[in-house]
Amino acid sequence: MWFKVLEPGTLSEGDVRSVHCAGRALCVLKANGQFAALDDACPHQGAPLGDGWVEEGLLICPRHAWAFDPFKGSLAGSEVQEITTYPIEERDDGVYVAVPEPRKKP
């Protein structure tokens, strides 16, 4: 399901934000002219990645400066996905992220 998470023009190059949608905390950013969306918790100690910054196209964790490829969810230079990423697209009326529907309790 697609959810609108930002209004048009909210993120400039290098901006990072924490957003909530469908019961998830996500980190949304713009790097190298593209948007990225991933879980908003560093796999190391759970720091909110939305408090981080972009440096040379990488998302830097605010706690220990671990660098992640925001499009793959991997540590810089690795191919192992550490953080779940989500499809994201910019539309005329805002920025949308696709996340699975929340699980229904039995």
Side-chain angles (χ1 to χ4, degrees), residues 3-67:
F3 295 90
K4 183 176 178 179
V5 294
L6 296 171
E7 294 297 322
T10 302
L11 284 185
S12 298
E13 182 68 26
D15 284 348
V16 181
R17 295 273 169 89
S18 293
V19 300
H20 287 76
C21 76
R24 290 177 169 80
L26 303 178
C27 173
V28 177
L29 61 94
K30 190 171 185 181
N32 300 324
Q34 298 179 346
F35 288 94
L38 55 162
D39 283 335
D40 192 27
C42 177
H44 177 219
Q45 288 188 341
L49 294 172
D51 290 345
W53 62 93
V54 173
E55 190 173 295
E56 296 181 11
L58 298 173
L59 173 61
I60 309 300
C61 174
R63 189 163 295 155
H64 293 111
W66 285 23

Side-chain angles (χ1 to χ4, degrees), residues 4 6-9 89-96:
K4 183 176 178 179
L6 296 171
E7 294 297 322
E89 60 184 44
E90 183 177 25
R91 300 179 185 173
D92 290 341
D93 67 334
V95 177
Y96 287 76

Side-chain angles (χ1 to χ4, degrees), residues 75-90:
L75 281 167
S78 173
E79 292 300 317
V80 177
Q81 185 176 28
E82 301 281 344
I83 306 168
T84 301
T85 59
Y86 300 90
I88 187 168
E89 60 184 44
E90 183 177 25

